[in-house]
Amino acid sequence: MRTVKKAKRMQSLAAGIKRDGRTIAFVPTMGALHEGHLSLVRRARKLGDIVAVSIYVNRTQFGPGEDLKKYPRTLERDKRLLRLLDVDYLFLPDDSEMYPSGYLTYVETEGITSVLEGKSRPTHFRGVTTVVAKLLNIVQPDVAVFGQKDAQQAIVISRMVADLNIPVKVIVAPTVREKTGLALSSRNRYFSPEQIRRASCIYHGLKRGRELINSGVTDSKKVVSEILRIIDDAEGTTIDYISINDANTLDHVRKITREVLISAAVELDGVRLIDNIKAKPGRTGC
Ligand code: AMP
């Protein structure tokens, strides 16, 4: 695995790969890698001749008071894991490479970024779309793989790629979970096994919501209040939102008649966690 720190260098390597007629599959991450990230890398391995992964903790997607400074950083371990998966290139820029002095340009996707995570974290998606647009320009992948764990992010990025005519195929891979059901997240590192068990109430709540929808409940308020009850019952939880939205447009849904995304943002002992599950009336979602 070759580590590349400079954008120009990465771009010229990517151009060489393409000249040779080979394809690039790319997985952008913020590091502190876990099985969820690694599942995306394995998927990328099947999708392209060359696999590139980036590790960059992007400060523009963190709001004031969020955990940028204490975001987990485990670079040496991450490198070992990526080598084991036969990753070809690790793009590892620093802040001055991504946002050099005089930097003035941001990418914004409207509408779908003002609900759910965007409502709670108003500057978050502007940071995400900006950094992902930059990374796609630098790595020039044919395919980029994102996780369903951050469902809204995947929808926003797909919209940006379509709107800006970026020549990349966006693939969304399933959420990888702990045995208890808790979605894997770099932030789970902050937790003890006992906290992981408590945090699993989020998944149990979402699953119960899906069951209700599958069994014919169409009133989203009813479904939300049942999920709320389950998550609220667990010790140390503070709910930011539980929401049922159209799975494609993210429009808020009152009466459930088509595929929906049930999403939740919950603080457990001060650590903010998000998760989601899809559900269709009358059948099991993924
Ligand atoms: P992050 O490092 O948190 O920015 O995540 C990098 C990529 O990994 C994003 O596309 C995430 O959606 C994805 N990801 C994070 N957690 C999981 C998970 N538990 N299962 C699948 N993908 C995930």
Side-chain angles (χ1 to χ4, degrees):
M1 182 176 75
R2 193 154 158 191
T3 300
V4 181
K5 295 191 170 178
K6 299 291 174 199
K8 274 230 166 86
R9 180 84 192 117
M10 189 69 238
Q11 275 171 327
S12 77
L13 287 164
I17 292 164
K18 301 211 149 177
R19 261 198 312 276
D20 292 347
R22 288 179 298 170
T23 57
I24 303 174
F26 176 47
V27 181
T29 81
M30 297 204 299
L33 301 180
H34 51 64
E35 262 309 309
H37 297 114
L38 302 183
S39 73
L40 306 189
V41 176
R42 286 189 200 101
R43 182 74 176 269
R45 190 71 278 167
K46 293 189 186 142
L47 293 168
D49 302 319
I50 297 292
V51 174
V53 174
S54 62
I55 296 181
Y56 176 61
V57 181
N58 174 40
R59 62 176 168 79
T60 63
Q61 72 189 67
F62 288 77
E66 291 183 4
D67 59 349
L68 171 63
K69 278 216 177 97
K70 67 170 200 155
Y71 194 83
R73 289 163 171 87
T74 58
L75 184 58
E76 287 315 310
R77 180 175 175 277
D78 291 352
K79 281 185 175 171
R80 275 200 302 279
L81 291 171
L82 295 177
R83 270 191 213 104
L84 286 174
L85 291 184
D86 258 349
V87 167
D88 300 283
Y89 292 95
L90 169 62
F91 181 54
L92 186 68
D94 63 15
D95 281 340
S96 66
E97 189 63 12
M98 293 302 273
Y99 301 107
S101 75
Y103 190 89
L104 290 173
T105 305
Y106 294 86
V107 177
E108 257 187 278
T109 299
E110 298 177 349
I112 49 173
T113 54
S114 58
V115 296
L116 303 173
E117 281 303 278
K119 196 166 175 192
S120 299
R121 308 175 68 194
T123 58
H124 173 66
F125 285 115
R126 178 183 191 251
V128 170
T129 43
T130 299
V131 81
V132 172
K134 284 173 68 68
L135 289 169
L136 295 175
N137 276 331
I138 293 167
V139 178
Q140 296 174 41
D142 299 273
V143 184
V145 189
F146 296 87
Q148 176 65 22
K149 156 78 166 51
D150 299 283
Q152 188 178 11
Q153 170 174 281
I155 291 172
V156 169
I157 287 167
S158 299
R159 185 75 260 159
M160 174 192 76
V161 160
D163 290 352
L164 296 183
N165 308 91
I166 302 178
V168 66
K169 184 168 183 202
V170 172
I171 299 287
V172 183
T175 302
V176 178
R177 300 177 179 281
E178 300 271 2
K179 281 204 190 81
T180 61
L182 176 65
L184 296 189
S185 159
S186 302
R187 291 180 173 99
N188 294 359
R189 280 172 185 277
Y190 302 134
F191 290 147
S192 66
E194 185 271 326
Q195 285 173 307
I196 287 183
R197 195 182 46 72
R198 269 194 289 133
S200 307
C201 67
I202 303 170
Y203 180 60
H204 296 141
L206 293 173
K207 241 181 26 181
R208 176 72 187 132
R210 183 173 64 191
E211 271 166 30
L212 291 173
I213 293 169
N214 289 164
S215 69
V217 178
T218 57
D219 180 355
S220 67
K221 265 196 186 152
K222 262 197 193 149
V223 178
V224 166
S225 70
E226 175 70 3
I227 300 171
L228 231 130
R229 190 188 58 73
I230 292 170
I231 299 178
D232 225 18
D233 269 359
E235 205 191 312
T237 53
T238 310
I239 297 170
D240 178 356
Y241 62 79
I242 313 282
S243 187
I244 299 189
N245 299 67
D246 183 281
N248 299 307
T249 62
L250 295 184
D251 288 343
H252 184 67
V253 169
R254 279 205 181 85
K255 189 167 158 52
I256 303 164
T257 55
R258 53 192 188 278
E259 189 176 39
V260 291
L261 185 75
I262 318 173
S263 32
V266 176
E267 258 191 31
L268 184 107
D269 299 344
V271 177
R272 192 169 184 283
L273 300 169
I274 59 168
D275 197 357
N276 67 81
I277 203 170
K278 280 187 186 174
K280 265 187 186 164
R283 58 185 278 194
T284 310
C286 59

